[in-house]
Amino acid sequence: MQMGKVIGLAIATRKDERLVGTKLLITQPISMDGSLIGQPIIAVDTVGAGIGELVIFVTGSVAARAMSKPEAPCDAAIVGIIDSIEGLSG
Amino acid sequence: MQMGKVIGLAIATRKDERLVGTKLLITQPISMDGSLIGQPIIAVDTVGAGIGELVIFVTGSVAARAMSKPEAPCDAAIVGIIDSIEGLSG
Amino acid sequence: MQMGKVIGLAIATRKDERLVGTKLLITQPISMDGSLIGQPIIAVDTVGAGIGELVIFVTGSVAARAMSKPEAPCDAAIVGIIDSIEGLSG
Amino acid sequence: MQMGKVIGLAIATRKDERLVGTKLLITQPISMDGSLIGQPIIAVDTVGAGIGELVIFVTGSVAARAMSKPEAPCDAAIVGIIDSIEGLSG
Amino acid sequence: MQMGKVIGLAIATRKDERLVGTKLLITQPISMDGSLIGQPIIAVDTVGAGIGELVIFVTGSVAARAMSKPEAPCDAAIVGIIDSIEGLSG
C-alpha cells in the first residue's frame, strides 16, 4: 500500500460498465511529511474518501478486491483513511 | 488507473492471435494539467478511444478483463474517456 | 522481495474490513549498506516486526498470501526479519 | 504493452525446465521515434522475432499466457512485431 | 525477466514458514555490459545460483511458480544462470 493525498476527481461518462457508479479519485503519493511525490494515479474510492484527505491506496490486481464488483478492470483503489502517522524521529 | 493521452496507433500484422482485431493505441501518461509525462505504452482500446483523446487506462493483469478475450496476453487497456477533471486549486 | 527498514506506523480507523486488526508498518527500501532509498510504502506486518527493524517485504498480489485473510486488498507485506547480510566485498 | 527493440539473445543452459526451448530475447523499450530508453529486459519470444526488430512486449503475469507452457515462471514476452507507428505530429 | 548479478545473501531466521529452507539471494540488475544498475532485490534461488553469478530473475506473482511451494508469498526468483549474451554491436 502507499500513502496518498486525494487531489481531484475524474469524470468519465464513457467507461467500462463495471466502473459505472464508482468515484474515481485522483490520488498522489505522499512522503512521511505529507508532501506530494511522484505522479498522480486514479484510484477507485471504496471507503468514502474525499478531496484533500490522506489515504491508503493499493495498486495492481488486488485493488479490484475492494470493489463491489471484484471482477472490474481496476488496478488502484483507496482502502483506508489515514488518521495519523507515528514515525522515527530524525 | 492512470490518466493518459492517446498519441498514436501501432500496426502489427504478426501478433498473438488473441490480439487480432484489437486497436493498439499508443498512450502516454499525463499530469493534472494535461502535459505528457513518463513514457508511452501500448494499450488495447476497449471504449472507442481515438488519437488525441484523454483517457483512463489500467495496467497489469486486470487489463485483459476489459477485452472481449479476457485470456489474452495483454497488460494495458483503455477503460474510459475523460470528460473533465476537478482538482484542488493550487 | 526487497530489503527495508520499518520507519513508522500508520493509524487508519476507517479501512477495508479485511485490513482491520492488521499492523500497517511504514517501510522504506534500503540499499546493501542499510541506507534508506526510494520512497516508503505501507506493508502489513505478518512476522511481528517493529519500528527500526530491518525486514524483507513483498509487493503485489502475493503479499496478501502472507496474511490471515489472504483475500484482503493488500499489495505489500513484511514476510521476514533480516538477521544479517553477507555480501560481495567492494 | 510496450514498444521495444530486440538487442540481443541470452543463453542459459541451466534454467527452470518450463523455460527450456524458449528463445530469450534481450529487449529494450523504445520511444515514439525509435530511440532506446530505460533498461533492457529478457522476454520470451512467442512470435518469431529476431535481433534488430521492433516488437510489442508484455510484462507481468499475463506474459506466460503467450507461451506454450502458460504455467511457466515468466514475466515478459514478445507478443507482436511492429510494422509501423502512426502518431501525432509534433 | 531481468539480467542480474548475485551480490549477497540475506539471513532471516524469522520469516513466513513457506520461505523456510529457501536461499535468499541479493540480486542486482545489470546492463548489457554487466555493470550494476538500479537497486538490489532479494530473490529466491531455484536453480542453484551462487554469489557472483550472472542470472535471470523474474518478479511478481509468477516468481512463486518456480518454488517448490508455489503458494509462498514470494515476488522474486532466480530461474536461470546466464552462460553468455549475444548482442547488437554498437
Side-chain angles (χ1 to χ4, degrees):
Chain A
M1 287 91 100
Q2 290 179 72
M3 298 180 284
K5 183 176 186 176
V6 180
I7 61 168
L9 175 69
I11 309 295
T13 308
R14 191 152 34 124
K15 57 179 176 290
D16 187 278
E17 61 180 12
R18 289 158 292 187
L19 297 175
V20 171
T22 61
K23 190 163 56 168
L24 300 172
L25 294 177
I26 304 172
T27 307
Q28 189 156 348
I30 55 172
S31 63
M32 281 290 277
D33 65 3
S35 55
L36 301 175
I37 54 176
Q39 296 297 339
I41 56 106
I42 298 180
V44 170
D45 175 43
T46 72
V47 290
I51 292 182
E53 281 188 297
L54 303 187
V55 298
I56 298 172
F57 66 97
V58 294
T59 58
S61 62
V62 298
R65 296 180 179 183
M67 298 175 62
S68 55
K69 295 179 182 171
E71 293 308 312
C74 167
D75 64 3
I78 293 173
V79 296
I81 311 280
I82 296 176
D83 295 322
S84 63
I85 295 290
E86 296 174 17
L88 289 175
S89 58
Chain B
M1 286 92 99
Q2 291 179 71
M3 298 180 284
K5 183 176 186 175
V6 179
I7 61 168
L9 175 70
I11 309 296
T13 308
R14 190 150 37 123
K15 57 178 176 287
D16 187 278
E17 61 180 12
R18 289 158 291 186
L19 297 175
V20 172
T22 60
K23 190 163 55 167
L24 300 172
L25 294 176
I26 304 173
T27 307
Q28 188 157 349
I30 56 173
S31 63
M32 282 290 278
D33 65 4
S35 55
L36 301 175
I37 54 176
Q39 295 297 338
I41 57 106
I42 298 180
V44 170
D45 174 44
T46 72
V47 291
I51 292 183
E53 280 189 298
L54 303 188
V55 297
I56 298 173
F57 66 96
V58 293
T59 59
S61 61
V62 299
R65 296 181 180 182
M67 298 174 62
S68 55
K69 295 179 182 172
E71 293 308 312
C74 166
D75 64 3
I78 293 172
V79 296
I81 310 279
I82 296 176
D83 296 322
S84 62
I85 295 290
E86 296 174 17
L88 288 175
S89 58
Chain C
M1 286 91 99
Q2 290 179 72
M3 298 179 284
K5 183 176 184 176
V6 179
I7 61 168
L9 175 70
I11 309 295
T13 308
R14 193 154 31 127
K15 57 178 175 288
D16 186 279
E17 62 181 10
R18 288 158 293 186
L19 297 174
V20 171
T22 60
K23 190 163 54 169
L24 300 171
L25 294 177
I26 305 172
T27 307
Q28 188 156 348
I30 55 173
S31 63
M32 281 291 276
D33 65 3
S35 54
L36 300 175
I37 54 176
Q39 295 297 337
I41 56 106
I42 298 180
V44 170
D45 174 44
T46 72
V47 290
I51 292 182
E53 280 188 297
L54 303 187
V55 297
I56 298 172
F57 66 96
V58 293
T59 58
S61 62
V62 299
R65 296 180 179 183
M67 297 174 63
S68 54
K69 295 179 182 171
E71 294 307 312
C74 166
D75 64 2
I78 293 173
V79 296
I81 311 279
I82 297 176
D83 295 322
S84 62
I85 295 291
E86 297 174 17
L88 289 175
S89 58
Chain D
M1 286 91 98
Q2 290 179 72
M3 298 180 284
K5 182 176 186 176
V6 180
I7 61 168
L9 175 70
I11 309 295
T13 309
R14 191 151 35 124
K15 56 178 176 289
D16 187 278
E17 61 180 13
R18 288 158 292 185
L19 297 175
V20 172
T22 61
K23 190 163 56 168
L24 300 172
L25 294 177
I26 304 172
T27 307
Q28 188 157 349
I30 56 173
S31 63
M32 282 290 277
D33 65 3
S35 55
L36 301 175
I37 54 175
Q39 295 297 338
I41 57 105
I42 298 180
V44 170
D45 174 44
T46 72
V47 291
I51 292 183
E53 281 188 297
L54 303 188
V55 297
I56 298 172
F57 66 96
V58 293
T59 58
S61 61
V62 299
R65 296 181 180 182
M67 297 175 62
S68 55
K69 294 180 183 172
E71 294 307 312
C74 167
D75 64 3
I78 293 172
V79 296
I81 310 279
I82 296 176
D83 295 323
S84 63
I85 296 290
E86 296 174 18
L88 288 175
S89 59
Chain E
M1 285 91 98
Q2 291 179 72
M3 298 179 285
K5 183 175 185 177
V6 179
I7 62 168
L9 175 71
I11 309 294
T13 308
R14 192 152 34 124
K15 57 179 176 288
D16 186 280
E17 61 181 13
R18 288 158 292 186
L19 297 174
V20 172
T22 61
K23 190 163 54 168
L24 301 171
L25 293 177
I26 304 172
T27 307
Q28 189 157 348
I30 55 173
S31 63
M32 282 291 277
D33 65 4
S35 55
L36 301 176
I37 54 176
Q39 295 297 338
I41 56 106
I42 298 180
V44 169
D45 174 44
T46 72
V47 290
I51 292 182
E53 281 188 297
L54 303 189
V55 297
I56 298 172
F57 66 96
V58 293
T59 57
S61 62
V62 299
R65 296 180 179 184
M67 296 174 63
S68 55
K69 295 179 183 171
E71 294 307 313
C74 167
D75 64 3
I78 294 172
V79 296
I81 309 280
I82 297 175
D83 296 322
S84 63
I85 296 291
E86 296 174 18
L88 290 174
S89 59

